[in-house]
């Protein structure tokens, strides 16, 4: 028999069934895991989280970590109460939520994910060959185990969030973050007061950037590289989470900084308070687009992706647009697609296209003829649509 303090006993047979089920759940199918992530990020309460790529990545890591904690514990000691998971993935998520100004309502992801996990667990249990009474006992104790584990974890994470919030409210970071939030929301706040609290001038030019998807030391190094490359003598930096920084540089242009260890989204330059706000919102839209398209690009500028961001705001409509516009060209060889894109960019000049591609004009003509056979409509009848669709593919992962 397996026992735990204030916990129902589990028979040896059910403990063995529990162990086998937990072993089967250790490596869940990719489609099931995606369903768990999708459920965790659904609902109106989760929209602020689902709209933020850094938080989405954090929730996904927490989901996987929680699943492994519960299943591994039940492989070792099936049916025993599983302690709350407070690994680095979960604690980083708590820190990121607080730094975004979110509260414990964002932890709804644990409960919505629990419903999906429970359905999967029942499928596993029904496939273990248990008798009716054994199955009933297994489902009873595992239901208690899952719900208790989730509630214990939520309670522990809530406590950590409170501690993180208390720490932030005592520091200068909290003051700067609060001022930036007011500026981004367009709230009435005096410029002189805001500048004094931020230590950053709001008059003159600004270019905002978001640096994310890396460890804290790499984020800071990339931010410093951006500042030096732009020729700025200083920068405003807001820690937006354990894996993200918001930056403002008092310059009109920021050159590309190659750093494969981080991802960087850069807004359009702007002036004064309105430019401060708009440039950051540009960077946010660029960051979201890269994440939405699972783009492999490490650096992107809003000025380069503005059209693609508009075209890909609704993923289902994006797929429909690509299929209707490109037809079989969507899956054609890269040379043919690139030739069409360059041809359109060169204002439909085959000679200039050949020069750009370092190839013969007849080769360009053959590739364009092949593209016409693959397109639903001839290229000449839908030049703008095809160009836009190919630009989406260029950024898509």
């Amino acid at each position: 028999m397996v026992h735990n303090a204030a916990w129902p006993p589990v028979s040896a047979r059910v403990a063995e069934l529990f162990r086998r089920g937990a072993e089967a759940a250790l490596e869940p199918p990719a489609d099931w895991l995606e369903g768990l992530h999708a459920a965790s990020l659904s609902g109106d309460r989760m929209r602020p989280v689902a709209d933020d790529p850094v938080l989405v990545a954090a929730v996904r890591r927490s989901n996987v970590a929680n699943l492994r904690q519960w299943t591994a514990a039940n492989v070792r000691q099936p049916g025993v109460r599983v302690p709350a998971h407070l690994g680095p993935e979960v604690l980083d998520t708590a820190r990121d939520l607080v730094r975004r100004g979110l509260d414990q309502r964002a932890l709804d992801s644990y409960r919505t994910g629990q419903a999906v996990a429970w359905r999967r667990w029942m499928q596993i249990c029904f496939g273990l060959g248990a008798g009716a009474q054994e199955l009933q006992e297994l489902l009873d104790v595992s239901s208690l185990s899952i719900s208790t584990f989730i509630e214990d974890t939520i309670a522990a994470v809530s406590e950590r969030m409170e501690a993180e919030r208390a720490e932030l409210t005592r520091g200068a970071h909290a003051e700067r973050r609060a001022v930036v939030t007011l500026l981004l929301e367009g709230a009435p706040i005096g410029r002189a007061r805001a500048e004094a609290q931020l230590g950053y001038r709001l008059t003159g030019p600004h270019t905002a950037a978001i640096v994310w998807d890396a460890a804290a030391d790499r984020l800071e190094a990339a931010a410093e590289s951006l500042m030096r490359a732009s020729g700025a003598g200083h920068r405003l930096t807001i820690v937006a989470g354990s894996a993200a920084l918001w930056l403002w540089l008092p310059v009109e242009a920021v050159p590309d900084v190659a750093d494969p260890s981080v991802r960087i989204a850069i807004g359009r330059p702007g002036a004064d308070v309105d430019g401060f706000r708009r440039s950051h919102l540009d960077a946010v839209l660029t960051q979201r687009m890269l994440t939405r398209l699972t783009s492999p690009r490490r650096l992107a500028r809003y000025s380069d992706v503005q059209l693609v961001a508009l075209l890909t705001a609704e993923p289902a409509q994006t797929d429909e647009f690509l299929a209707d516009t490109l037809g079989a060209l969507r899956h054609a060889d890269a040379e043919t697609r690139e030739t069409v894109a360059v041809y359109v960019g060169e204002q439909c000049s085959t000679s200039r296209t050949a020069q750009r591609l370092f190839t013969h004009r007849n080769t360009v003509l053959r590739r364009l003829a092949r593209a016409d056979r693959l397109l639903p409509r001839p290229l000449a009848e839908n030049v703008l649509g095809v160009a836009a669709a190919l630009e989406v593919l260029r950024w898509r992962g």
Side-chain angles (χ1 to χ4, degrees), residues 10-25:
V10 181
S11 66
R13 168 61 179 164
V14 169
E16 179 56 28
L17 290 170
F18 212 139
R19 186 192 309 277
R20 284 168 47 200
E23 289 173 344

Side-chain angles (χ1 to χ4, degrees), residues 81-272:
R81 182 171 182 165
V82 180
H85 180 45
L86 288 178
E89 307 91 348
V90 174
L91 296 182
D92 284 349
T93 302
R95 186 178 304 114
D96 288 352
L97 291 171
V98 171
R99 286 174 174 173
R100 295 298 201 282
L102 300 174
D103 58 24
Q104 279 81 347
R105 287 174 295 182
L107 299 181
D108 277 0
S109 63
Y110 288 90
R111 296 189 179 96
T112 52
Q114 176 186 340
V116 175
W118 174 244
R119 288 197 296 272
R120 170 63 178 165
W121 177 250
M122 284 196 295
Q123 292 172 354
I124 292 174
C125 290
F126 277 97
L128 294 175
Q133 186 171 349
E134 294 169 342
L135 181 61
Q136 181 64 54
E137 183 182 346
L138 174 60
L139 291 176
D140 284 346
V141 71
S142 55
S143 174
L144 176 63
S145 177
I146 291 173
S147 61
T148 302
F149 170 68
I150 292 297
E151 293 304 321
D152 286 351
T153 300
I154 288 175
V157 173
S158 295
E159 184 177 341
R160 180 56 182 256
M161 289 178 71
E162 287 299 327
E164 184 72 22
R165 187 174 290 107
E167 181 179 338
L168 285 178
T169 55
R170 289 194 297 268
H173 168 80
E175 183 178 276
R176 291 197 303 271
R177 177 59 192 263
V179 172
V180 165
T181 299
L182 291 173
L183 291 171
L184 295 179
E185 292 176 348
I189 177 173
R191 181 180 57 79
R193 175 189 162 206
E195 288 179 341
Q197 291 177 306
L198 294 176
Y200 179 86
R201 287 179 60 84
L202 293 172
T203 54
H206 309 285
T207 299
I210 299 175
V211 183
W212 84 102
D213 199 24
D217 59 334
R218 292 307 313 153
L219 295 175
E220 182 60 31
E224 189 69 12
S225 295
L226 278 177
M227 184 186 77
R228 293 183 182 279
S230 69
H234 64 287
R235 56 185 160 97
L236 171 62
T237 305
I238 297 295
V239 179
S242 60
L245 295 179
W246 292 351
L247 307 177
W248 283 265
L249 299 166
V251 295
E252 294 181 345
V254 176
D256 291 352
V257 175
D259 188 338
S261 66
V262 300
R263 307 191 76 186
I264 303 173
I266 301 175
R268 290 171 293 178
D272 303 329

